[in-house]
Amino acid sequence: MVKRDSFVRRAVVLSFKLISFTVLFLGLVLAPAWAKPKQPAPEIQDVIIVGDKVVDIAYNMRVLPKAMSVRCSIWEMCPMLRTASHVLGCPNNVTMMNKQAVPDAVKNFGIKRVIVEKGEGFCLYQKKVNPMNVVELLKDSDVEIEYVDFSGGIEPAITQTAKLLGCKDRGEALIARYKENLEKAQAGLPKEKLGKKVLILNGVYGKDSGKLSLRVEAPGLYSDQYLLAPLGCVNVGDAFKPSDGKVQKGYYPVRKTKEGPVLTPILAADPDVIVVTGNAYAVQKALSEFGEKEAKLAEVKAIKNLQIFHLPVYINSSVIEYPDILRQWTAALM
């Protein structure tokens, strides 16, 4: 009982400090955004775009396609974008399962142009997926196929996209903004590796069922390559690796019992930092319930030192927003 009461008191203090920090952080980060003048609504062009990165660049030049094929189930910006642009399915769906989706959209919308993302390694979760596979499916359609090649980097891709969408000036302005943001993000990186152990917990909450589930991001994927590696941190997600070693779309599912998610591996992993992605409530609820049963959770470094942060997921879709995401992860982990 003493241990439990101690953990509860610690949890209350932790919650209060995290709430206070969040309010302060949001005040600092969001205040400048409120002062900015509102941007005009995106222009909708009669074109179909296949590929997340091209859509993201277009959106940042205030242009959206009539329809698009993007990884909507995992790209956090997609729910916002789909309010103005039709989502035909992800590139895996439209090139492997529902092969008529794009040809039918070309016909139904009267589209004459399709812009396709070109480049290596489109999706680390499903390496066979390639937006370029849609080209063969359009061979019988009366449509012009154009490409944005990312093999030369983001800035040339912005130039190509701006040319195809007829907004050269916006493209030049976007390149300048992107370069400035990237330089700031890189300048803020630590001079030496932080060497911190990081556990990335992704929460999923069923709004209708009220059920929650957790996943742990597996090492070697997007967070490691784009966020943890620049900071010199290590992903300790393998503590949750199942016996069969299988990764499900980049994550290890956290085993569940009637009592809830089994978080025992977190004790052995002993992360310095816990990064929460997805639904934060699902993670908070699971940690709270686990802590009531296991007093040792309070001794995990991330819990003991108040190093728990809800941060945005990066899956190499929001390429223009990447510098801002990197800066946020840097601020949290440093």
Side-chain angles (χ1 to χ4, degrees):
M1 180 62 72
V2 174
K3 288 185 177 180
R4 178 172 176 175
D5 289 344
S6 175
F7 177 84
V8 171
R9 286 195 298 272
R10 188 186 296 274
V12 170
V13 173
L14 169 63
S15 299
F16 178 80
K17 289 185 177 180
L18 286 177
I19 291 171
S20 299
F21 173 81
T22 301
V23 171
L24 175 61
F25 179 81
L26 290 177
L28 293 173
V29 172
L30 296 182
W34 297 336
K36 295 179 182 178
K38 293 182 179 179
Q39 295 288 337
E43 165 197 349
I44 307 300
Q45 291 197 10
D46 288 329
V47 63
I48 291 175
I49 295 179
V50 182
D52 306 15
K53 293 194 284 288
V54 183
V55 171
D56 186 61
I57 290 172
Y59 168 74
N60 278 278
M61 294 189 295
R62 304 194 306 280
V63 177
L64 282 176
K66 176 78 76 175
M68 59 185 177
S69 172
V70 297
R71 296 176 294 172
C72 205
S73 64
I74 59 174
W75 186 17
E76 292 186 332
M77 284 182 61
C78 189
M80 174 186 65
L81 299 178
R82 72 184 310 162
T83 60
S85 180
H86 296 271
V87 178
L88 305 176
C90 69
N92 179 53
N93 180 276
V94 303
T95 61
M96 296 185 180
M97 291 173 281
N98 187 12
K99 296 183 179 181
Q100 278 301 119
V102 177
D104 285 349
V106 166
K107 180 179 178 180
N108 295 335
F109 291 127
I111 297 295
K112 297 300 182 183
R113 299 169 60 217
V114 174
I115 298 175
V116 182
E117 179 179 319
K118 184 178 182 181
E120 297 295 327
F122 173 73
C123 183
L124 294 181
Y125 300 155
Q126 295 175 296
K127 296 184 179 180
K128 292 183 179 180
V129 180
N130 188 343
M132 289 292 291
N133 292 337
V134 78
V135 176
E136 177 65 19
L137 304 178
L138 293 169
K139 63 181 181 180
D140 296 325
S141 300
D142 183 20
V143 64
E144 181 180 3
I145 301 176
E146 300 164 315
Y147 305 93
V148 175
D149 189 352
F150 283 83
S151 61
I154 301 300
E155 292 172 32
I158 294 174
T159 300
Q160 296 169 48
T161 306
K163 180 178 180 181
L164 293 176
L165 297 177
C167 48
K168 181 181 177 181
D169 291 345
R170 295 184 204 172
E172 292 174 349
L174 180 58
I175 289 175
R177 175 161 62 88
Y178 172 77
K179 287 177 64 176
E180 180 181 1
N181 285 348
L182 185 59
E183 288 171 1
K184 286 181 180 179
Q186 292 173 338
L189 293 173
K191 304 299 182 184
E192 299 180 359
K193 293 182 178 181
L194 297 179
K196 293 183 178 181
K197 297 188 297 181
V198 180
L199 181 70
I200 305 171
L201 288 175
N202 178 265
V204 179
Y205 176 72
K207 293 181 180 178
D208 296 328
S209 66
K211 294 181 179 180
L212 58 87
S213 61
L214 300 187
R215 306 182 299 173
V216 172
E217 186 170 336
L221 299 171
Y222 291 108
S223 292
D224 284 38
Q225 293 186 26
Y226 292 94
L227 301 165
L228 296 184
L231 292 167
C233 293
V234 179
N235 183 341
V236 293
D238 272 345
F240 285 83
K241 189 175 183 178
S243 57
D244 59 12
K246 288 185 178 180
V247 179
Q248 297 181 10
K249 293 185 177 180
Y251 293 89
Y252 298 133
V254 175
R255 187 167 61 86
K256 294 178 67 176
T257 65
K258 291 181 180 180
E259 288 73 33
V262 179
L263 292 174
T264 308
I266 199 173
L267 303 178
D270 194 21
D272 298 296
V273 180
I274 295 175
V275 170
V276 177
T277 62
N279 185 276
Y281 165 73
V283 177
Q284 292 167 339
K285 181 68 172 175
L287 286 172
S288 175
E289 292 179 347
F290 180 64
E292 290 180 358
K293 295 177 292 185
E294 179 54 79
K296 290 182 180 179
L297 179 63
E299 298 307 315
V300 170
K301 292 187 184 71
I303 303 291
K304 183 168 59 177
N305 298 324
L306 309 179
Q307 296 296 295
I308 306 175
F309 303 101
H310 185 208
L311 297 172
V313 174
Y314 184 72
I315 57 167
N316 204 26
S317 294
S318 300
V319 288
I320 302 302
E321 292 76 18
Y322 169 67
D324 297 323
I325 294 173
L326 177 59
R327 288 171 69 186
Q328 191 171 344
W329 277 65
T330 301
L333 271 63
M334 286 183 67

